[in-house]
Amino acid sequence: MYDADQNRTERKVGQKDIKITARDVQVYYGTNHAIKDVSVEIEDKTVTAFIGPSGCGKSTFLRCLNRMNDTIDICRVEGNIAIDGEDIYDRRVDPVQLRAKVGMVFQKPNPFPKSIYDNVAYGPKIHGLAKNKSELDDIVERALRRGAIWDEVKDRLQAPGTGLSGGQQQRLCIARAVATEPEVLLMDEPCSALDPIATGQVEELIDELKQNYSVVIVTHSMQQAARVSQKTAFFHLGNLVEYDDTEKIFTNPQDSRTESYITGRIG
Amino acid sequence: MSDLKKHIVSGFDRDLEGIQAQIMKMGGLVEAAIRDGARSLETRDEELAQQVRTGDTAIDQLEELINEEAARVIALRAPTASDLRVVLSVLRMSANLERMGDLAKNMAKRTGVLVQLQPIEGSAASLRRVAREVELMLKDALDAYIQRDAELARDVIERDRDVDQMYNTVFREFLTFMLEDPRNITACMHLHFIAKNLERMGDHVTSIAEQVVFLVTGAYPDEDRPKADMTSTDTRYSPQSAEED
């Protein structure tokens, strides 16, 4: 890859540490018990897929991992979620700082109505990651390269981000998410609005991102989960039914509910 | 066929049921080929042997059809978990059944030659016993498939040992006949190939039974298959040794 990236990270390769630990997590929306007793360990430098039918709680659980649920008034989260052993729901944790460390990409590409450059530069600017303009330029270039979109936009960085195609917008949003040097990247159905080619490009990108990040992806496409992830968690009615190697889940799942779901039977 | 619920897309169920019905049909044809092949040998019925020889075409056509259907299901339905195991097991089973059909055809070809030779006393009855055991194993393996019965499949795998032992016995029997009178050699060589064909069929049935275990449990039986065909490694099955008896 490129030099700056190599300097940035000297993390060990091939060793799967636990990045996120969730213990007995409960989520309530008012009186609705949306997540029930979920405990899971998510590995570093691994793509973990959350699958399950609509309303099973997979997105809700994903949003617990960077406290996005804090923004919903009636939502209450119990239990313990730790990243690198640190409780992210601790009172001293600033959710804004947390979200810089735990980036998120959404279903629909949502670039800011600003230039391509500003879309990416926004996060590093507010978190004070660059001392001057030339450092910021480097950060933007690095992020756009990592988002696999640099070659397509390098000559029009001042053009509006919203003028890009859907697939390009989504890769721009991924570039924006990685610009703050997060350690975890959460993706909530990142390809559902994209065509197969753009989906392929994003999947290729996810595969590259796992060298540096712990990637957690929620997807309705079981084939996508099978293609991109190494670990798969199946959620059903707010419960984590089964969590195992993706290969195992798709060839020989242990729970009949998982089997019913992935083989396209009524669960 | 399975205790799982129906697919949401009912066409998927129809596809899977379709290829499984084809494999059962193929299995039925192979069962009949073994039975008729052995009977034609015993009753020296060249006409029946001819039917077995021409009947192999239908078995080959079914194999082709099953392979095409399985490829189509993989391409269009992207089967996973137990659905994937159905398709994979059907593909392997069709290959096993096709080979068994060929072996039965070869048996019937040799019958065509044997009816023109002096009969070897007792040989037809011995071979009939081997053929009946193989046919029964195949029937049980196919039943185990339909009923998703891994226990019955394991039982079939165990019984391959009996077939191997029967083969050892007829091997020595034919060796003795050949030593007694060299004029028996031609007939006994043909009879021996028939016995070997039946023994190979037993191995193919074992493979089918292993597919059933895989289909039901998601894993192949890990213990080594019982092997009791000693004729290639044991000197007791050499002419000198038979002469001493």
Side-chain angles (χ1 to χ4, degrees):
Chain A
M1 286 173 98
Y2 25 89
D3 294 344
D5 190 48
Q6 280 169 357
N7 291 338
R8 187 182 66 84
T9 169
E10 286 280 308
R11 294 177 201 163
K12 282 175 208 149
V13 181
Q15 186 183 328
K16 301 285 187 210
D17 296 325
I18 301 300
K19 188 72 186 172
I20 307 171
T21 311
R23 290 260 169 275
D24 308 320
V25 174
Q26 321 280 344
V27 179
Y28 301 87
Y29 288 117
T31 54
N32 178 17
H33 197 174
I35 292 283
K36 297 162 191 161
D37 267 328
V38 170
S39 295
V40 69
E41 288 187 333
I42 292 169
E43 291 174 2
D44 198 10
K45 296 183 176 51
T46 299
V47 180
T48 303
F50 289 174
I51 60 171
S54 292
C56 68
K58 56 191 188 301
S59 290
T60 297
F61 186 70
L62 187 79
R63 294 160 73 91
C64 290
L65 303 179
N66 67 347
R67 293 183 56 175
M68 285 294 277
N69 289 328
D70 288 14
T71 59
I72 302 168
D73 285 343
I74 56 163
C75 183
R76 197 169 88 247
V77 179
E78 289 173 8
N80 183 279
I81 299 175
I83 295 181
D84 292 331
E86 264 181 75
D87 182 0
I88 61 168
Y89 280 87
D90 190 287
R91 231 164 269 187
R92 284 162 296 181
V93 171
D94 173 5
V96 176
Q97 290 299 325
L98 172 72
R99 286 172 207 145
K101 193 169 154 181
V102 184
M104 191 155 188
V105 176
F106 298 87
Q107 180 171 1
K108 227 174 132 237
N110 54 354
F112 303 135
K114 288 170 177 283
S115 70
I116 292 167
Y117 183 96
D118 286 341
N119 260 281
V120 181
Y122 182 75
K125 258 193 230 164
I126 63 162
H127 287 288
L129 299 181
K131 284 200 280 292
N132 52 46
K133 175 79 168 85
S134 107
E135 259 189 38
L136 191 60
D137 288 350
D138 287 347
I139 289 173
V140 170
E141 177 176 342
R142 198 159 65 217
L144 287 169
R145 280 186 189 280
R146 210 172 294 152
I149 194 179
W150 170 253
D151 288 337
E152 289 158 68
V153 300
K154 63 182 179 208
D155 299 324
R156 46 173 174 152
L157 290 175
Q158 295 312 318
T162 47
L164 297 169
S165 75
Q168 288 173 326
Q169 285 188 18
Q170 192 63 310
R171 280 180 285 143
L172 174 64
C173 291
I174 293 171
R176 186 178 65 190
V178 298
T180 56
E181 305 285 358
E183 294 170 24
V184 178
L185 199 55
L186 308 179
M187 302 180 129
D188 195 348
E189 296 188 46
C191 299
S192 60
L194 304 186
D195 76 2
I197 294 166
T199 298
Q201 286 164 336
V202 171
E203 287 179 1
E204 171 67 16
L205 177 56
I206 292 170
D207 202 53
E208 281 169 22
L209 291 173
K210 80 162 191 285
Q211 293 173 6
N212 296 309
Y213 309 106
S214 175
V215 180
V216 186
I217 176 170
V218 163
T219 174
H220 268 139
S221 160
M222 262 144 346
Q223 290 314 309
Q224 178 168 63
R227 285 193 299 265
V228 302
S229 73
Q230 289 76 55
K231 289 277 188 176
T232 297
F234 170 61
F235 286 82
H236 187 56
L237 301 173
N239 297 299
L240 175 62
V241 173
E242 193 166 349
Y243 176 54
D244 211 328
D245 292 340
T246 298
E247 200 184 300
K248 185 87 192 297
I249 296 280
F250 284 91
T251 55
N252 196 11
Q254 297 306 296
D255 194 286
S256 62
R257 287 169 291 177
T258 316
E259 172 100 30
S260 289
Y261 182 69
I262 63 156
T263 58
R265 293 176 168 86
I266 297 155
Chain B
M1 275 193 183
S2 160
D3 52 353
L4 275 168
K5 290 175 193 150
K6 297 264 180 224
H7 286 94
I8 298 163
V9 178
S10 59
F12 197 171
D13 284 321
R14 283 197 295 278
D15 284 354
L16 289 179
E17 280 159 19
I19 48 174
Q20 291 181 97
Q22 303 284 19
I23 201 89
M24 286 304 128
K25 190 173 166 195
M26 195 178 172
L29 289 180
V30 172
E31 258 182 70
I34 300 170
R35 187 171 55 243
D36 293 346
R39 189 185 297 151
S40 71
L41 176 65
E42 195 180 8
T43 59
R44 299 172 77 82
D45 184 343
E46 164 57 13
E47 204 179 315
L48 187 57
Q50 175 63 27
Q51 277 176 28
V52 173
R53 293 197 291 270
T54 52
D56 189 48
T57 316
I59 296 172
D60 290 350
Q61 282 169 348
L62 269 174
E63 191 213 10
E64 238 172 77
L65 192 73
I66 288 165
N67 289 353
E68 281 167 17
E69 278 298 295
R72 200 179 66 83
V73 169
I74 291 172
L76 304 185
R77 309 275 188 202
T80 51
S82 61
D83 296 336
L84 179 63
R85 298 205 295 274
V86 166
V87 179
L88 291 178
S89 63
V90 155
L91 274 174
R92 295 202 183 106
M93 284 168 66
S94 74
N96 285 128
L97 288 170
E98 190 273 332
R99 293 297 302 140
M100 290 181 76
D102 285 353
L103 292 167
K105 181 185 178 182
N106 184 270
M107 179 162 85
K109 267 188 195 163
R110 292 178 190 280
T111 300
V113 178
L114 280 165
V115 293
Q116 299 162 43
L117 299 170
Q118 188 69 24
I120 304 287
E121 196 191 335
S123 63
S126 313
L127 288 176
R128 188 191 60 211
R129 278 196 294 277
V130 187
R132 189 192 288 155
E133 179 57 27
V134 171
E135 189 198 328
L136 203 63
M137 278 171 67
L138 177 58
K139 182 188 163 293
D140 286 349
L142 296 173
D143 282 351
Y145 183 83
I146 291 283
Q147 288 153 20
R148 302 291 192 259
D149 185 344
E151 270 318 296
L152 181 56
R154 288 195 187 94
D155 182 56
V156 170
I157 294 169
E158 280 302 311
R159 277 150 58 195
D160 187 46
R161 197 196 305 266
D162 300 343
V163 172
D164 286 352
Q165 270 157 3
M166 285 172 169
Y167 167 67
N168 293 344
T169 309
V170 295
F171 184 96
R172 279 175 69 86
E173 213 174 283
F174 295 151
L175 206 53
T176 312
F177 283 130
M178 287 190 273
L179 287 164
E180 270 170 17
D181 186 347
R183 282 172 299 179
N184 289 335
I185 288 178
T186 307
C188 281
M189 286 303 289
H190 282 295
L191 288 167
H192 167 253
F193 272 112
I194 291 174
K196 187 67 198 168
N197 286 351
L198 288 166
E199 188 274 328
R200 285 297 298 146
M201 286 192 219
D203 294 343
H204 285 295
V205 177
T206 304
S207 168
I208 291 172
E210 284 171 351
Q211 298 307 317
V212 175
V213 175
F214 168 70
L215 175 65
V216 177
T217 66
Y220 286 100
D222 46 15
E223 66 269 54
D224 284 335
R225 259 162 59 166
K227 273 275 153 210
D229 171 8
M230 309 302 287
T231 57
S232 48
T233 49
D234 193 327
T235 53
R236 277 180 303 160
Y237 297 92
S238 65
Q240 290 86 350
S241 159
E243 222 166 356
E244 284 157 16
D245 286 354

